[in-house]
Amino acid sequence: MLTKAELPECPVATTVQLVGSKWKLLILRNLLQRPWRFNELKKSLEGISQKVLTDSLRSMESDGIITRTVYPEVPPRVEYALSELGESMRPIIATMEQWGIAYKESQQ
């Protein structure tokens, strides 16, 4: 996790730095629905590599946006879910969805 001093001064740049990659936004979109397991996420995100998914999840966990829960089972089960901070992104993602719908409709 970055310290306050390491974050950009601009709040928009801070948000972009934390969730601005294509894959992080799509992971957030999925996690807004429910908790997901790693392989479920990988299958639902066409084109993402295992390394990029792993790195994105680790980064988002480190930044406090998601939680990782390991269940003591055999074989081990790991689920990823939004943290309270991640849940606060819900209205932002919803607005992006509405904008995307409006844009697609305007292009017809």
Side-chain angles (χ1 to χ4, degrees), residues 13-62:
T14 298
T15 305
V16 169
Q17 184 169 336
L18 293 173
V19 295
S21 79
K22 166 188 172 180
W23 296 117
K24 285 183 180 180
L25 286 171
L26 295 177
I27 291 167
L28 272 173
R29 176 204 62 194
N30 285 11
L31 293 178
L32 284 167
Q33 299 171 11
R34 61 176 173 83
W36 290 65
R37 294 175 72 174
F38 183 89
N39 284 333
E40 289 179 308
L41 283 169
K42 183 155 182 354
K43 287 177 186 171
S44 73
L45 301 170
E46 189 175 321
I48 193 170
S49 71
Q50 184 165 329
K51 180 184 180 344
V52 170
L53 179 55
T54 299
D55 290 348
S56 296
L57 290 169
R58 284 182 182 159
S59 171
M60 293 169 75
E61 182 184 11
S62 172

Side-chain angles (χ1 to χ4, degrees), residues 2 10 30 38 48-50 71 82 85 88 93-96 99-100 102-103:
L2 297 174
C10 171
N30 285 11
F38 183 89
I48 193 170
S49 71
Q50 184 165 329
Y71 294 92
L82 291 179
L85 179 62
S88 71
I93 303 299
T95 300
M96 291 175 74
W99 187 91
Y103 178 81

Side-chain angles (χ1 to χ4, degrees), residues 35-38 40 67-71 77-81:
W36 290 65
R37 294 175 72 174
F38 183 89
E40 289 179 308
T67 60
R68 179 179 184 265
T69 305
V70 180
Y71 294 92
R77 177 171 54 110
V78 178
E79 284 187 347
Y80 296 91

